[in-house]
């Protein structure tokens, strides 16, 4: 049982790294959003498994937040936004799939080399989870760096944040995990709202927001 | 005095959070500009007074999430003071921005509420006795400042806010990973749960932590909080955020927020220094500090926007401060603390002046601002004094701290002193070159100014303090800083 709980935790964390790789080569925004939703589902499974293994019921809250907010609400909202802005047919130059994937593999190797010896004294479930979480974080950074589109950058940031939640839940008994995941959700919500305002400004130039401002003044 | 404090329903340290918190909610309900500005000043003033009481009265660290020691009380007093004077400046500055129609009156409640929310989160970050709570506070401070930077809702302001947001978020994400690693290092020694994130227990047990984990954690913490300090090459958000936001926010960013991130960095540096097997954090800070200094010194020559110019000057000075703390030792740490204090006071004073300059000249372009000392003598000469101070001319306080830093570096690491001096001279040249153009010569046309001239009081108080510190440092203050310098190791 001990062995199985370990393997299952590693399987789920490894699954997140795989899904991160899938995000790396998505060159259409809608595809990227779908893969991100899958990423959040795997995260939520992984957190739920940690909650069960560590018998820490508060982690189920974090898992629920991941599932509802990040796997459903945010992808759906961004989906609508992308369709409304009419950018869903745009193809992003990801900068060569081959080199990007190679860099991704390099980053995963780097995080293994750095984290496994450093965390040698931690218990094995946390040790490998940390290494995999760092891989997810670095791959998220890579996604942010290789994209120019604001929405894709946000998706990259959110996958990075998923890596952080994975690390935080893997650290047995860490306090404030739920609070921190809520704080991060607030941040993400702000980002999404920010993109919305930002894209309006970019797409329709000053006319539309001018109308918004006038409306606001009219209500004063 | 102290018996009077006991009569209060809450401890002074809690008041640092309660006052701004309540004021933020209250101000969110006050649409009138004048009333809101007064309440904002009052709340900031009360917070500052409570911060002063911490000098004489310390709460018991075992009973609370908050704690005060010799190190953070310096940051708290300095921060609340700059917050108070900036609120005075903000009252007249924002009033003028509303008159000329740059700021919509509807945003007043938002602006004042956010100002106090920012004050709340900074006080929380500085006094939190828990590294998770400290992280949450820094995140909150980032969010509030992002919203303030985008206040004018222009294309440039939104872009600056967006850039700040994305870079700041990546920074705090990395800092969180570092925080998790610190917890992982502490857990085998201290045990699971809250204690393994409490600062006072962490520092007491740091010598028994796994050094490898601490090393990796520090790299992430340094990159994460270093982004918020504005150290090169992670500084890209800083100039935009300073240039496009309202000027009181530029003053608060340079005078306060950078210090909060620096404080977090110093705390973790102390943690590493307490573990003999962990890597020495000093050289890393020295490298980042020197890179920031030299890079910013060169960039100063290329600036065309006056607020951007002083934003790069902030990067330069944060680099100097990081260098000083990285060098370590009683003298360099003392210089670092003094420099941090002087920089906060001087840079916010400069932003007070620059904000008015931009208002009277109707532009932020350096090329379009000429002959200030002739057209606006008080304002022009204050700017001259401020820039002379920030460039490091005697007899101002920044000269003292830079002199201490350079002489102690020469004594210990002569080779490091060479790039340090080159950076200082380069920055000096750039600032003086820009200043002569802005302050002297034939005046450029001014905007016909119908409104009341903004208050010069905060500006003059700041510059006077910097001048006094340059001429004479009071004995108790020196003893205090020496004590903190020893603490920092």
């Amino acid at each position: 049982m001990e062995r199985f709980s370990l393997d299952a935790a590693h399987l789920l964390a490894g699954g997140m790294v795989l899904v991160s790789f899938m995000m790396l080569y998505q060159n259409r925004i809608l595809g990227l959003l779908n893969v991100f939703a899958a990423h959040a589902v795997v995260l939520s499974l992984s957190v739920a498994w940690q909650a069960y293994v560590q018998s820490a019921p508060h982690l189920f809250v974090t898992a629920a937040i991941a599932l509802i907010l990040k796997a459903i609400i945010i992808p759906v909202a961004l989906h609508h936004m992308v369709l409304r802005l009419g950018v869903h047919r745009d193809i992003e130059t990801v900068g060569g799939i081959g080199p990007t994937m190679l860099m991704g593999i390099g980053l995963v190797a780097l995080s293994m080399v750095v984290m496994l010896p450093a965390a040698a004294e931690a218990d094995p479930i946390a040790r490998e989870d940390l290494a995999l979480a760092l891989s997810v974080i670095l791959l998220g950074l890579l996604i942010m760096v290789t994209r120019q589109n604001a929405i894709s950058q946000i998706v990259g940031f959110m996958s990075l944040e998923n890596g952080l939640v994975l690390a935080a839940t893997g650290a047995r008994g860490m306090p404030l995990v739920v609070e921190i995941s809520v704080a991060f959700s607030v941040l993400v919500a702000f980002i999404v709202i920010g993109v919305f305002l930002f894209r309006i400004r970019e797409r329709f130039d000053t006319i539309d927001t001018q109308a918004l401002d006038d409306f606001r003044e009219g209500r004063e | 005095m102290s018996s009077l404090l006991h009569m209060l329903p809450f401890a002074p340290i809690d008041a640092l959070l309660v006052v701004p918190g309540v004021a933020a909610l209250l101000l969110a309900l006050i649409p009138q500009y004048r009333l809101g500005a007064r309440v904002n000043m009052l709340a900031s003033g009360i917070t500052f007074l409570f911060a002063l009481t911490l000098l004489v009265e310390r709460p018991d660290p075992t009973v609370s999430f908050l704690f005060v020691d010799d190190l953070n009380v310096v940051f708290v007093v300095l921060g609340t003071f700059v917050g108070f004077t900036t609120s005075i400046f903000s009252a007249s500055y924002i009033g003028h921005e509303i008159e000329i129609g740059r700021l919509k009156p509807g945003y007043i409640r938002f602006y004042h509420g956010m100002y106090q929310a920012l004050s709340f989160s900074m006080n929380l970050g500085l006094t939190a006795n828990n590294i998770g709570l400290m992280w949450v506070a820094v995140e909150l401070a980032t969010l509030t400042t992002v919203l303030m930077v985008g206040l004018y809702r222009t294309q440039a302001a939104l872009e600056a806010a967006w850039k700040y947001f994305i870079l700041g978020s990546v920074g705090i994400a990395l800092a969180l990973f570092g925080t998790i690693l610190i917890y992982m290092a502490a857990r085998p020694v201290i045990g699971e749960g809250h204690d393994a994130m409490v600062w006072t227990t962490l520092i007491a047990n740091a010598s028994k932590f796994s050094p490898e984990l601490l090393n990796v954690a520090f790299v992430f913490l340094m990159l994460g909080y270093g982004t918020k300090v504005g150290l090169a090459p992670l500084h890209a958000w800083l100039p935009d955020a300073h240039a496009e936001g309202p000027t009181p926010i530029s003053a608060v960013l340079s005078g306060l927020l950078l210090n909060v991130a620096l404080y977090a960095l110093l705390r973790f540096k102390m943690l590493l220094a307490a573990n003999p097997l962990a890597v020495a954090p000093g050289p890393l800070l020295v490298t980042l500090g020197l890179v920031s200094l030299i890079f910013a010194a060169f960039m100063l020559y290329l600036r065309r926007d006056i607020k951007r110019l002083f934003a790069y000057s902030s990067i330069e000075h944060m680099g100097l401060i990081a260098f000083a703390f990285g060098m370590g030792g009683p003298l360099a740490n003392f210089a670092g603390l003094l420099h941090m204090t002087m920089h906060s006071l001087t840079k916010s004073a400069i932003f007070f002046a620059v904000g008015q300059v931009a208002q009277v000249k109707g532009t932020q372009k350096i090329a379009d601002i000429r002959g200030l000392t002739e057209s606006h003598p008080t304002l022009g000469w204050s700017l001259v004094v401020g820039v002379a101070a920030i460039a490091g001319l005697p007899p101002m306080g920044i000269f003292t701290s830079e002199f201490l830093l350079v002489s102690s570096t020469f004594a210990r690491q002569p080779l490091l002193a060479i790039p340090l001096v080159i950076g200082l001279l380069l920055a000096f040249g750039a600032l003086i070159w820009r200043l002569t153009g802005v302050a002297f010569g034939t005046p450029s046309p001014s905007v016909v100014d119908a409104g009341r001239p903004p208050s010069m009081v905060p500006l003059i108080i700041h510059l006077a303090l910097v001048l006094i510190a340059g001429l004479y440092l009071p004995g108790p203050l020196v003893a205090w800083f020496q004590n903190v310098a020893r603490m920092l190791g």
Side-chain angles (χ1 to χ4, degrees):
Chain A
M1 186 57 202
E2 181 67 11
R3 186 71 218 164
F4 173 70
S5 68
L6 234 162
D7 286 342
H10 292 166
L11 177 73
L12 290 168
M16 282 186 72
V17 177
L18 269 185
V19 181
S20 285
F21 270 105
M22 282 167 68
M23 268 192 251
L24 268 183
Y25 63 78
Q26 297 295 326
N27 55 7
R28 284 178 194 267
I29 288 191
L30 290 184
L32 188 68
L33 285 176
N34 292 342
V35 179
F36 172 73
H39 201 258
V41 170
V42 182
L43 171 75
S44 133
L45 284 177
S46 171
V47 174
W49 182 252
Q50 292 282 358
Y52 170 69
V53 170
Q54 299 177 18
S55 25
H58 62 278
L59 288 184
F60 282 117
V61 179
T62 311
I65 291 176
L67 187 67
I68 296 169
L69 193 71
K70 285 191 254 172
I72 301 170
I73 296 181
I74 288 181
V76 169
L78 285 175
H79 214 272
H80 275 287
M81 221 174 276
V82 166
L83 290 181
R84 233 186 88 182
L85 298 172
V87 290
H88 56 285
R89 284 196 197 82
D90 296 6
I91 293 175
E92 263 188 298
T93 44
V94 186
I97 289 173
T100 316
M101 294 300 269
L102 279 178
M103 270 165 78
I105 292 169
L107 289 177
V108 174
L110 178 76
S111 54
M112 295 292 164
V113 169
V114 169
M115 284 315 301
L116 289 184
E121 289 166 30
D123 58 308
I125 191 167
R127 185 181 64 204
E128 266 121 54
D129 258 12
L130 265 187
L132 292 169
L134 181 59
S135 310
V136 174
I137 291 171
L138 293 178
L139 288 173
L141 273 179
L142 185 62
I143 296 171
M144 290 182 81
V145 171
T146 51
R147 310 280 171 148
Q148 271 105 47
N149 180 309
I151 293 185
S152 318
Q153 284 184 350
I154 293 169
V155 174
F157 177 72
M158 288 191 295
S159 77
L160 185 159
E161 190 226 324
N162 285 352
L164 282 172
V165 175
L166 182 69
T169 49
R172 185 181 287 268
M174 180 162 149
L176 294 171
V177 170
V178 180
E179 289 83 347
I180 284 174
S181 70
V182 170
F184 246 128
S185 306
V186 172
L187 191 72
V188 168
F190 267 106
I191 294 186
V192 174
I193 295 165
V195 147
F196 188 61
L197 295 173
F198 192 63
R199 296 294 294 194
I200 282 184
R201 177 68 62 164
E202 205 175 89
R203 299 298 292 189
F204 310 114
D205 216 287
T206 48
I207 307 157
D208 219 33
T209 36
Q210 192 60 51
L212 278 178
D213 287 348
D214 290 343
F215 175 66
R216 191 183 282 273
E217 262 183 334
R219 284 204 312 180
E220 282 302 320
Chain B
M1 174 82 184
S2 110
S3 61
L4 223 147
L5 285 173
H6 288 296
M7 284 160 59
L8 290 169
F10 42 73
I13 189 166
D14 297 332
L16 287 182
L17 305 178
V18 173
V19 173
V22 172
L25 295 177
L26 192 65
L27 284 165
L29 301 173
I30 301 180
Q32 294 90 353
Y33 171 66
R34 275 180 207 290
L35 182 62
R38 290 209 178 111
V39 174
N40 193 28
M41 274 195 269
L42 186 69
S44 307
I46 294 174
T47 315
F48 173 56
L49 288 181
F50 275 114
L52 280 181
T53 64
L54 293 180
L55 291 169
V56 289
E57 176 110 343
R58 296 273 168 84
D60 182 6
T62 51
V63 295
S64 163
F65 271 103
L66 307 177
F67 84 125
V68 175
D69 66 0
D70 284 348
L71 174 62
N72 66 7
V73 80
V74 176
F75 284 80
V76 170
V77 170
L78 178 67
T80 49
F81 176 70
V82 176
F84 174 46
T85 49
T86 307
S87 71
I88 301 175
F89 168 69
S90 151
S92 48
Y93 179 86
I94 295 292
H96 190 268
E97 295 288 276
I98 292 174
E99 271 169 34
I100 61 172
R102 202 169 163 210
L103 186 67
K104 307 248 183 313
Y107 288 127
I108 284 304
R109 291 187 304 174
F110 179 75
Y111 172 80
H112 282 142
M114 279 298 154
Y115 192 94
Q116 290 298 323
L118 177 63
S119 163
F120 169 87
S121 54
M122 285 191 292
N123 289 341
L124 179 64
L126 289 174
T127 53
N129 190 13
N130 179 306
I131 54 175
L133 198 60
M134 181 162 87
W135 178 85
V136 172
V138 174
E139 193 219 305
L140 195 63
T142 309
L143 269 183
T144 50
T145 39
V146 163
L147 292 171
M148 305 269 257
V149 166
L151 190 69
Y152 288 143
R153 297 291 184 276
T154 59
Q155 176 81 33
L158 285 179
E159 254 180 51
W162 178 250
K163 195 169 172 187
Y164 175 30
F165 198 14
I166 286 291
L167 281 169
S169 306
V170 170
I172 54 178
L174 295 180
L176 178 59
F177 192 68
T179 308
I180 295 170
L181 290 181
I182 295 277
Y183 170 77
M184 296 286 289
R187 199 191 52 181
V189 180
I190 300 173
E192 282 178 22
H194 271 284
D195 279 351
M197 285 183 114
V198 170
W199 175 255
T200 33
T201 33
L202 283 176
I203 193 80
N205 295 294
S207 56
K208 285 173 273 175
F209 294 172
S210 142
E212 289 86 4
L213 260 184
L214 279 183
N215 292 346
V216 180
F218 188 71
V219 171
F220 281 96
L221 290 165
M222 197 177 64
L223 289 177
Y225 287 123
T227 309
K228 304 248 20 153
V229 180
L231 296 175
L234 309 160
H235 66 280
W237 62 272
L238 194 146
D240 287 354
H242 277 70
E244 304 305 337
T247 309
I249 298 313
S250 316
V252 175
L253 275 175
S254 263
L256 285 175
L257 192 67
L258 304 186
N259 288 353
V260 176
L262 181 77
Y263 166 80
L265 210 53
L266 284 181
R267 280 279 176 214
F268 289 110
K269 175 180 177 273
M270 285 164 71
L271 197 64
L272 248 77
N275 187 314
L277 295 173
V279 74
L284 289 169
L285 278 177
V286 164
T287 315
L288 273 189
L290 271 184
V291 169
S292 309
L293 168 67
I294 306 257
F295 170 80
F298 276 112
M299 293 307 274
L300 282 176
Y301 285 88
L302 303 172
R303 293 308 108 200
R304 297 197 192 88
D305 180 306
I306 191 159
K307 279 167 86 177
R308 239 167 249 267
L309 177 79
F310 291 111
Y312 271 96
S313 156
S314 287
I315 299 175
E316 177 222 332
H317 285 279
M318 291 323 273
L320 270 178
I321 297 164
F323 178 87
F325 288 125
M327 285 296 292
L331 197 56
N333 279 339
F334 183 90
L337 278 173
L338 186 64
H339 197 81
M340 186 198 81
T341 314
M342 291 301 122
H343 172 251
S344 286
L345 292 173
T346 317
K347 190 52 68 63
S348 39
I350 287 180
F351 275 115
F352 297 161
V354 164
Q356 294 180 40
V357 169
Q359 281 181 341
V360 297
K361 294 290 184 190
T363 177
Q364 289 181 199
K365 285 206 184 72
I366 295 175
D368 296 344
I369 306 172
R370 290 185 312 277
L372 265 180
T373 46
E374 227 168 279
S375 58
H376 300 84
T378 329
L379 182 58
W381 284 109
S382 325
L383 186 68
V384 171
V385 174
V387 176
I390 207 82
L393 277 178
M396 309 301 268
I398 287 192
F399 171 75
T400 319
S401 55
E402 285 181 355
F403 179 77
L404 278 175
L405 178 61
V406 171
S407 56
S408 76
T409 312
F410 259 118
R412 288 165 56 200
Q413 300 275 350
L415 281 180
L416 281 178
I418 296 167
L420 177 69
V421 171
I422 291 175
L424 282 174
L425 289 177
L426 277 172
F428 177 82
L431 285 171
I432 298 299
W433 175 54
R434 286 307 194 189
L435 176 70
T436 48
V438 167
F440 306 109
T442 331
S444 59
S446 311
V447 175
V448 185
D449 195 4
R452 208 154 46 100
S455 164
M456 296 293 279
V457 177
L459 175 63
I460 289 167
I461 293 177
H462 278 209
L463 289 179
L465 282 176
V466 174
L467 178 64
I468 292 168
L471 296 172
Y472 167 70
L473 275 178
L477 187 72
V478 173
W480 190 291
F481 275 14
Q482 276 170 343
N483 183 22
V484 179
R486 265 195 302 278
M487 247 174 88
L488 287 167

